[in-house]
């Protein structure tokens, strides 16, 4: 368990470097957590969790069909299918597949789910070549980070909308973690109240290189655009690709106890984004110093 925790910190940390382990070894360690099954459940309104214990996937339902946001590792796609059916929904009723960002742990099952559902694939414009190529930006030759390519039917930019029946999701550009990193904002009903939900793409540095040979051109500017945008966003319910980003397990336990919905937490997103911004700036300083030291 300690080894898994260390690996999680290494990959999800904001230092942006992986030490002592190759990416392949690190991913093999993380798979133990990422591929562990968990029961699907209703989070709030028409939003359901259908991912694994370690990776999130969300089903947003409507009488006219459903929207699936993100998948998990390629080998665990069957878990998403089983979770959706366990909740009483049909795979073939999925009309749209949405992606937050083109990394293997969130795109691994998109091609399979698209084939099974017949749904349209929607993603951030700058991530289209990554999704259709099945690779990590700046690491095209790294087989450990490759995933099954998926054809993108529609790309989105800031403010574009995906509508299905009475459900409308608005694309919010939050680049940096990937060039086309897209967060999805939409309203839900919580009893008599209306809540604003954000499925936040991410703002961690993780495996990204910020200086010298950056993961992609303009990555530093992109991160700063995202943190600036986050300051003005008003979010009641924060969701994200990794459950630990918004303390899902803790909130899920409270949800079972009854009372007010613990996923409703205004201001949580802004606080979280502020910690990510500080960590990013720290990582930038460290990577810059390391690059200067290497030059001698």
């Amino acid at each position: 368990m300690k080894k898994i925790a260390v690996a999680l910190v290494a990959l999800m940390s904001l230092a942006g470097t992986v030490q002592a382990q190759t990416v392949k070894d690190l991913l093999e360690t993380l798979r133990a957590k990422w591929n562990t099954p968990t029961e699907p459940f209703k989070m709030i309104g028409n939003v359901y969790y259908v991912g694994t214990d370690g990776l999130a996937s969300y089903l947003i339902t409507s009488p006219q069909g459903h929207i699936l946001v993100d998948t998990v590792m390629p080998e665990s796609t069957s878990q998403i299918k089983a979770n959706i059916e366990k909740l009483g929904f049909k795979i073939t009723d999925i009309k749209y597949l949405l992606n937050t960002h083109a990394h293997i742990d969130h795109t691994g099952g998109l091609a399979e789910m698209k084939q099974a559902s017949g749904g349209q694939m929607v993603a951030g414009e700058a991530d289209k070549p990554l999704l259709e190529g099945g690779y990590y930006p700046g690491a095209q030759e790294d087989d450990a980070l490759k995933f099954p390519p998926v054809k993108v039917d529609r790309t989105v930019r800031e403010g574009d909308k995906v509508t299905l029946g009475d459900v409308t999701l608005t694309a919010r550009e939050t680049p940096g973690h990937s060039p086309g990193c897209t967060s999805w904002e939409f309203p839900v009903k919580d009893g008599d109240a209306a809540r604003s939900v954000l499925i936040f793409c991410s703002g961690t540095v993780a495996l990204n290189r910020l200086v010298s040979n950056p993961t992609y051109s303009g990555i530093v500017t992109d991160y700063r655009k995202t943190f600036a945008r986050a300051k003005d966003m008003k979010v009641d319910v924060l969701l994200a690709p990794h459950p630990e980003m918004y303390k899902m397990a803790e909130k899920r336990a409270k949800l079972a106890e009854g009372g007010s919905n613990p996923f409703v937490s205004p201001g949580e997103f802004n606080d979280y984004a502020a910690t990510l911004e500080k960590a990013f700036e720290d990582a930038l300083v460290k990577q810059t110093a390391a690059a200067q030291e290497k030059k001698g």
Side-chain angles (χ1 to χ4, degrees), residues 218-246:
I219 188 171
V220 170
T221 299
D222 274 356
Y223 270 109
R224 286 176 171 159
K225 284 180 180 178
T226 289
F227 297 133
R229 172 162 286 153
K231 289 179 172 64
D232 296 326
M233 295 177 70
K234 298 186 185 303
V235 176
D236 295 317
V237 178
L238 169 63
L239 304 178
H242 290 270
E244 65 269 18
M245 288 180 168
Y246 59 100

Side-chain angles (χ1 to χ4, degrees), residues 76-87:
S76 293
T77 308
S78 60
Q79 291 189 42
I80 293 180
K81 291 179 178 178
N83 284 343
I84 291 171
E85 291 172 346
K86 189 176 291 187
L87 290 168

Side-chain angles (χ1 to χ4, degrees), residues 1-294:
M1 184 60 68
K2 183 177 180 181
K3 186 176 181 182
I4 292 175
V6 170
L8 276 167
V9 170
L11 185 61
M12 296 303 298
S13 76
L14 313 177
T17 59
V18 177
Q19 299 177 355
Q21 287 183 302
T22 66
V23 171
K24 182 179 179 180
D25 290 340
L26 186 58
L27 287 176
E28 285 304 313
T29 303
L30 287 166
R31 274 183 163 89
K33 170 69 173 176
W34 284 354
N35 291 338
T36 298
T38 192
E39 288 295 309
F41 69 102
K42 180 177 179 178
M43 306 186 86
I44 185 171
N46 58 335
V47 183
Y48 297 82
Y49 188 91
V50 294
T52 64
D53 184 59
L55 294 173
S57 180
Y58 303 100
L59 188 72
I60 304 165
T61 65
S62 83
Q64 291 75 29
H66 315 312
I67 298 171
L68 184 71
V69 182
D70 281 352
T71 56
V72 294
M73 295 294 283
E75 63 270 21
S76 293
T77 308
S78 60
Q79 291 189 42
I80 293 180
K81 291 179 178 178
N83 284 343
I84 291 171
E85 291 172 346
K86 189 176 291 187
L87 290 168
F89 302 111
K90 296 180 180 179
I91 306 298
T92 51
D93 285 338
I94 296 173
K95 306 303 180 184
Y96 291 103
L97 300 164
L98 275 53
N99 186 225
T100 55
H101 59 287
H103 292 171
I104 185 174
D105 43 338
H106 312 296
T107 63
L110 287 174
E112 184 176 338
M113 290 301 298
K114 183 178 182 183
Q115 183 176 16
S117 67
Q120 293 186 42
M121 181 70 234
V122 184
E125 185 177 280
D127 272 7
K128 179 180 179 179
L130 309 179
L131 289 165
E132 295 190 337
Y135 61 87
Y136 191 97
Q140 289 89 330
E141 304 307 317
D142 194 332
D143 290 340
L145 295 172
K146 289 182 178 180
F147 53 87
V150 58
K151 184 181 183 302
V152 177
D153 299 299
R154 178 188 169 193
T155 60
V156 292
R157 297 293 305 268
E158 171 67 20
D160 288 342
K161 300 181 185 302
V162 174
T163 298
L164 181 61
D166 59 356
V167 175
T168 296
L169 281 74
T170 301
R172 304 303 307 268
E173 289 185 333
T174 50
H177 191 68
S178 79
C181 210
T182 301
S183 299
W184 296 96
E185 189 174 27
F186 57 101
V188 298
K189 289 184 179 180
D190 176 30
D192 294 329
R195 308 292 189 187
S196 172
V197 178
L198 182 74
I199 302 178
F200 179 52
C201 175
S202 185
T204 64
V205 174
L207 298 177
N208 285 333
R209 302 180 304 274
L210 304 176
V211 297
S212 297
N213 179 30
T215 296
Y216 69 90
S217 178
I219 188 171
V220 170
T221 299
D222 274 356
Y223 270 109
R224 286 176 171 159
K225 284 180 180 178
T226 289
F227 297 133
R229 172 162 286 153
K231 289 179 172 64
D232 296 326
M233 295 177 70
K234 298 186 185 303
V235 176
D236 295 317
V237 178
L238 169 63
L239 304 178
H242 290 270
E244 65 269 18
M245 288 180 168
Y246 59 100
K247 302 177 182 177
M248 188 197 79
E250 177 183 320
K251 292 175 183 175
R252 181 176 184 170
K254 290 181 180 178
L255 185 66
E257 297 171 1
S260 59
N261 193 310
F263 287 99
V264 178
S265 182
E268 179 182 8
F269 168 67
N270 308 93
D271 291 342
Y272 178 55
T275 66
L276 292 176
E277 182 176 17
K278 182 182 184 305
F280 162 77
E281 294 295 347
D282 289 346
L284 181 59
V285 169
K286 291 178 181 178
Q287 289 195 25
T288 300
Q292 293 173 344
E293 183 178 348
K294 188 174 180 180

